[in-house]
Amino acid sequence: MDANELKAKADRANPQHKEGPVAAAIEKYTSKLPSDVFLWAALGSMAISATLKIMKKDEEALFVGQWAPSFLLLGNYNKMIKLAGYESDK
């Protein structure tokens, strides 16, 4: 199957390009959160990670430190939803 066939198949599967019920529910609630919540969560996880590292708890520090990119990615998604307007699908 080539790229054009895949695109045509995808267009037939969701011709209105609407979000599914799970994504719509998530967007409904996360769009109410200010974007700084995710930034502060990322900075907080980095601070906790640094504190754990200083306390010689290396495994815990790595675990908590890996949360920061996830929080930033969620913040980016939140911002995109707000700018695009999740209600426009309805």
Side-chain angles (χ1 to χ4, degrees):
M1 202 178 286
D2 70 352
N4 290 329
E5 290 175 14
L6 284 173
K7 183 183 180 320
K9 187 175 180 181
D11 287 342
R12 285 191 304 273
N14 189 5
Q16 295 84 22
H17 303 287
K18 292 200 177 232
E19 291 291 350
V22 174
I26 291 169
E27 291 168 7
K28 177 181 177 183
Y29 293 105
T30 59
S31 67
K32 296 175 186 176
L33 292 173
S35 296
D36 345 1
V37 168
F38 299 101
L39 179 61
W40 286 111
L43 291 172
S45 70
M46 289 187 277
I48 292 169
S49 177
T51 302
L52 289 167
K53 186 72 172 169
I54 291 168
M55 295 169 58
K56 306 287 188 208
K57 296 185 177 189
D58 292 342
E59 290 182 12
E60 292 88 346
L62 286 173
F63 177 69
V64 174
Q66 290 178 357
W67 297 351
S70 298
F71 286 131
L72 293 173
L73 185 62
L74 288 170
N76 188 27
Y77 179 76
N78 183 46
K79 184 62 108 177
M80 288 187 324
I81 293 306
K82 285 181 179 181
L83 292 175
Y86 81 95
E87 287 290 332
S88 64
D89 264 358
K90 310 228 175 330

